[in-house]
Amino acid sequence: MSVMFEAACAEIPAYSPSGNECDLFEKAWVRQLPLLLKGPTGCGKTRFVNHMAARVGLPLSTVSCHDDLAAADLTGRFLLKGGDTVWTDGPLTRAVREGGICYLDEIVEARKDVAVVLHPLTDDRRFLPLERTGEVLEAPASFMLVVSYNPGYQNLLKALKPSTRQRFVAIEFDFLPKPKEIAVVAAESGLDEARVAPLVELAHRLRALKGHDLEEGVSTRLLVYCACLVDSGMAMREAVRAAMIEPLTDEPDVRAALLEIADAMIR
């Protein structure tokens, strides 16, 4: 399990809003409502949570969900320490005890028993039962649950059930409009906007192929990586291949076609 614990700091991570998502987050936080973020990979969901956690002054624990993530990984388990069996809180339990934001990234990747654990935290009860210790923890006012997923990756085996979705206030994310994305990539990479602009144009062209030749489009994250390589002196074509083409596909024919598109747009 990949878990990051980050104390809220005075410096708020940069984030460029595309709508009213910051206001909605703050209102959900004040009213103790759980929040669901949905959108394509690399469109800024995790950056948004980091930004808002610092903005409201709360510690943040981020859990990257995966196929083997079980409820016990979130709630905790008994571990051997110095010959004794000691209960150790998981990140969700710790956030409920101490307050703060618990962010479960790509929640649909986790095992089905995770949703069952979350249900009592996402209604007016706001409690977390720990069967192994017999405790029932009431979430403090300073606790907030945020989850995210990519609807484009859903299938019949990995879908967020309506009974779970309807327990959350939801925000839909997408990639920024071209002018804003150019500004963000330039600021993150150090590459000037005039050189970033064709990269963003190419990304939008490749994103249009999602669902046809590609499972996923070019993320803003990959755009930043590409711009960083160019800013470090790498030739534009090589940077595009390494950061915007190769991560998207392993199919030689598809890769060749994408490179042709890139060559026609990037000079």
Side-chain angles (χ1 to χ4, degrees), residues 21-33 144:
E21 65 266 31
C22 295
D23 183 55
L24 199 157
F25 185 104
E26 289 180 343
K27 285 180 169 52
W29 154 244
V30 170
R31 298 306 297 264
Q32 300 177 22
L33 304 176
M144 184 179 188

Side-chain angles (χ1 to χ4, degrees), residues 128-169:
L128 177 65
L130 300 176
E131 293 184 5
R132 296 188 179 184
T133 65
E135 296 176 272
V136 177
L137 303 180
E138 291 188 14
S142 57
F143 170 78
M144 184 179 188
L145 178 65
V146 182
V147 304
S148 72
Y149 78 107
N150 180 355
Y153 279 156
Q154 284 201 96
N155 56 44
L156 292 176
L157 297 178
K158 287 188 176 181
L160 201 60
K161 292 182 178 180
S163 60
T164 299
R165 283 203 310 268
Q166 293 186 27
R167 292 173 174 271
F168 292 85
V169 173

